Amino acid sequence: MSEMKRLAAEKALEYVEDGMIVGVGTGSTVAYFIDGLARIKDRIKAAVSSSEQSTERLRAHGIEVQDLNATGPLSLYVDGADECDGHRRLIKGGGAALTREKIIAEASKTFVCIVDPSKQVGILGRFPLPVEVIPMARSLVAREIVRITGGQPVWRDGVVTDNGNWILDVHGLAITDPVGMERDLNQIPGVVSVGLFARRPADVVIVGGEPPVVL
Ligand code: 5RP
């Protein structure tokens, strides 16, 4: 699958325009995108990063990383996903970076999602849904998730997000109403963000292959 990820990432480079400040996601697919971006780094102004991991890789390539508060709205955000449905709605957060990813997606005019074919599903939920929670609310949020969704939340023990929070992965879901579930889970006190990207889905999904497929 890594070659499929690389092919999707290479295709996404076509969306980068001269002088852009590029929003950059997190994960192994995005790592290929960052490596590609390094080849054209003289054409871009800077990047905004969704994680410490991506910041490190960007800086290692000599790409300047700017604060979103300083840049204002972005033209382009490129990120991967754990699942993608036919409406370009996503599950994200396998790498625990969902909150910053959601912030940058919201701030961006065009969100290009890069995936390998294994990420495509009919109904979201086979991949356990990540939810970032304030640590003291972990049990409360888990009980509410069971009540609202019927799914089984599992604490991603030992993982602390870049924001100092914890992750619950919700198993056993078949998400037939992604927008409704995203809204309902966001209401639980202690939830920082939900790894469903349905209210603000991707604008373009590139599925790696020869040739890549653009949805
Ligand atoms: C990180 C994410 C990633 O985009 C998602 O986990 C996909 O990762 P990969 O490209 O390694 O398969 O949401 O929080």
Side-chain angles (χ1 to χ4, degrees):
M1 281 303 158
S2 57
E3 179 59 7
M4 299 294 151
K5 292 181 182 204
R6 193 187 66 78
L7 290 167
E10 286 293 318
K11 180 75 180 167
L13 290 169
E14 293 177 14
Y15 291 78
V16 178
E17 292 175 13
D18 290 358
M20 268 185 172
I21 299 176
V22 182
V24 175
T26 299
S28 56
T29 317
V30 164
Y32 288 114
F33 178 73
I34 294 173
D35 294 350
L37 205 53
R39 297 197 308 267
I40 56 168
K41 67 179 177 190
D42 294 339
R43 283 180 41 209
I44 64 167
K45 199 163 163 194
V48 170
S49 170
S50 63
S51 64
E52 301 302 328
Q53 181 191 314
S54 289
T55 298
E56 204 176 298
R57 196 174 190 101
L58 285 159
R59 290 202 170 128
H61 281 303
I63 298 171
E64 184 189 340
V65 177
Q66 291 191 1
D67 187 319
L68 184 64
N69 289 311
T71 64
L74 303 177
S75 304
L76 176 67
Y77 177 49
V78 178
D79 196 359
D82 300 298
E83 273 188 358
C84 167
D85 76 6
H87 301 278
R88 299 188 297 273
R89 299 175 299 201
L90 315 170
I91 285 184
K92 292 184 46 51
L98 61 156
T99 299
R100 295 187 188 189
E101 292 173 341
K102 210 169 228 195
I103 291 166
I104 302 179
E106 188 72 21
S108 300
K109 181 160 183 288
T110 304
F111 173 11
V112 174
C113 181
I114 48 178
V115 294
D116 66 69
S118 73
K119 307 289 182 65
Q120 291 183 284
V121 297
I123 294 179
L124 298 169
R126 193 177 61 203
F127 188 92
L129 175 65
V131 178
E132 180 166 351
V133 298
I134 299 287
M136 74 167 284
R138 191 198 77 214
S139 304
L140 166 82
V141 171
R143 287 193 296 276
E144 282 299 289
I145 287 175
V146 172
R147 190 179 66 77
I148 293 169
T149 70
Q152 298 96 46
V154 175
W155 179 25
R156 207 183 293 178
D157 199 0
V159 171
V160 178
T161 71
D162 286 347
N163 313 306
N165 298 315
W166 292 349
I167 300 284
L168 293 171
D169 293 306
V170 188
H171 294 248
L173 298 175
I175 307 174
T176 51
D177 177 11
V179 173
M181 186 175 286
E182 183 179 4
R183 182 193 56 228
D184 293 348
L185 294 181
N186 271 325
Q187 303 301 320
I188 305 171
V191 167
V192 177
S193 67
V194 179
L196 265 173
F197 286 54
R199 188 186 63 80
R200 199 276 181 254
D203 300 299
V204 176
V205 172
I206 301 174
V207 185
E210 298 206 58
V213 175
V214 180
L215 307 172

